[in-house]
Amino acid sequence: MIMKRKEKIDKICSKGNPFKVPENYFHNLTEEVMAKLPEKKSVPVEEFVKVTLWTRVRPWIYMAAVFAGMLLGFRFMLEHTTDSQPIPVIAVTNYKEDSEWDDEYLEAIIDHSMMDDYTLYIYLTEVDGDLY
């Protein structure tokens, strides 16, 4: 019974190629396709656009103008930037050892001194070339 079912299935689903191609189909295919295409107009030589020097150089000039504009814009922005907080400047005319400075002025000076912690410590503990 199993063999009969298997034979029946093999008849229904044969392993051969079920598709058929008409005779000389590929032999005449190119001529048939070309015959069905519409005729193409030929373009006269006068209608072609001449390539001038300006059309070749124009993209490069535009690119140079963009870069020049960017550079000028950055330069303008960098020159006209202002700090949001001005740096306090202390003029010491009569320095006395016992005088005290406000902490806000000292913190601003230390922040803008561009020194690392160790150099600042050495500078603050040094008096006339001698360490405390």
Side-chain angles (χ1 to χ4, degrees):
M1 182 147 150
I2 295 175
M3 289 299 281
K4 288 182 182 181
R5 282 187 182 176
K6 186 177 179 185
E7 288 174 7
K8 191 174 185 180
I9 291 173
D10 285 344
K11 283 182 184 179
I12 294 171
C13 302
S14 65
K15 295 179 183 178
N17 190 357
F19 301 105
K20 304 283 184 203
V21 178
E23 288 187 34
N24 294 327
Y25 179 76
F26 291 107
H27 181 67
N28 298 330
L29 180 66
T30 308
E31 290 89 19
E32 289 179 17
V33 170
M34 293 303 287
K36 291 180 181 179
L37 289 176
E39 288 291 323
K40 185 178 179 182
K41 288 184 177 180
S42 61
V43 178
V45 179
E46 294 82 38
E47 291 185 20
F48 287 115
V49 178
K50 282 190 168 183
V51 179
T52 61
L53 179 64
W54 173 245
T55 56
R56 289 182 185 171
V57 176
R58 184 175 27 188
W60 294 98
I61 291 175
Y62 290 163
M63 185 174 57
V66 166
F67 282 117
M70 286 174 35
L71 288 174
L72 290 174
F74 286 135
R75 185 173 179 190
F76 178 77
M77 287 188 323
L78 291 176
E79 285 180 2
H80 291 77
T81 56
T82 57
D83 293 335
S84 59
Q85 298 176 349
I87 301 171
V89 178
I90 299 174
V92 179
T93 54
N94 296 326
Y95 175 71
K96 298 177 186 172
E97 287 189 28
D98 297 335
S99 66
E100 292 188 18
W101 295 11
D102 291 337
D103 286 341
E104 71 178 79
Y105 292 118
L106 284 176
E107 286 179 14
I109 291 171
I110 290 171
D111 286 341
H112 292 90
S113 67
M114 304 287 288
M115 290 188 213
D116 61 342
D117 292 340
Y118 180 74
T119 308
L120 187 62
Y121 171 76
I122 294 296
Y123 180 75
L124 291 174
T125 56
E126 189 176 310
V127 176
D128 295 329
D130 297 329
L131 291 176
Y132 279 119

